[in-house]
């Protein structure tokens, strides 16, 4: 991943977009936990998302793919495990807080150096 010339605000904005896409997919997984045959989904890694964003003029949506049954599945083929999805949602929320704090601190630092 080449970060030469990457703007901190642009990178933080892309991270927040990716986390938002990830949280949306997790919430859809949780909403379909009782749907027969529903397969859990996940988004691509952030590194892959950045590679896609490098060649695109606008920040794209993260690529979504079906995940394998890591914790098992029910008799209907539904492989959503609520405990696993809650762990992913919690991790995503923590990462979102970190990214927003970084964004805010960078903004505060710029404002201080500009004399405001």
């Amino acid at each position: 991943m080449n970060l030469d010339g990457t703007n901190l605000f642009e990178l933080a904005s892309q991270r927040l977009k990716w986390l938002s896409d990830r949280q949306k997919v997790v919430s859809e997984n949780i909403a379909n936990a009782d749907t027969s045959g529903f397969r859990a989904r996940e988004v691509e890694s952030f590194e892959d998302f950045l590679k896609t964003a490098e060649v695109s003029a606008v920040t794209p949506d993260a690529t979504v793919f079906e995940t394998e049954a890591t914790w098992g599945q029910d008799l209907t083929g539904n492989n959503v495990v609520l405990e696993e999805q809650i762990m992913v949602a919690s991790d995503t929320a923590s990462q979102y807080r970190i990214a927003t704090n970084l964004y805010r601190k960078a903004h505060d630092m710029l404002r201080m150096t500009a004399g405001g």
Side-chain angles (χ1 to χ4, degrees), residues 12 21 24 29 32 37 40 43 45 49 59 75 81 88 98-99 109 115-116:
D21 290 347
K24 179 182 177 204
N29 287 344
N32 288 292
V43 296
S45 69
F49 177 76
T59 304
L75 296 175
V81 178
V88 173
I98 290 169
M109 182 178 67

Side-chain angles (χ1 to χ4, degrees), residues 9 98-111:
F9 291 106
I98 290 169
T100 55
N101 284 337
L102 176 63
Y103 196 93
R104 183 175 44 82
K105 292 293 184 182
H107 182 266
D108 290 348
M109 182 178 67
L110 281 176
R111 194 173 58 203

Side-chain angles (χ1 to χ4, degrees), residues 28-89:
E28 289 171 356
N29 287 344
I30 291 171
N32 288 292
D34 290 333
T35 304
S36 294
F38 183 82
R39 309 296 294 169
R41 300 178 316 153
E42 179 59 273
V43 296
E44 66 188 325
S45 69
F46 183 60
E47 291 77 19
D48 291 341
F49 177 76
L50 285 178
K51 288 176 189 173
T52 305
E54 284 178 7
V55 297
S56 178
V58 296
T59 304
D61 289 339
T63 303
V64 178
F65 59 92
E66 200 173 280
T67 61
E68 296 295 321
T70 55
W71 288 25
Q73 65 184 21
D74 65 15
L75 296 175
T76 67
N78 185 317
N79 69 343
V80 176
V81 178
L82 289 176
E83 292 84 357
E84 179 181 22
Q85 295 302 312
I86 290 170
M87 288 175 47
V88 173

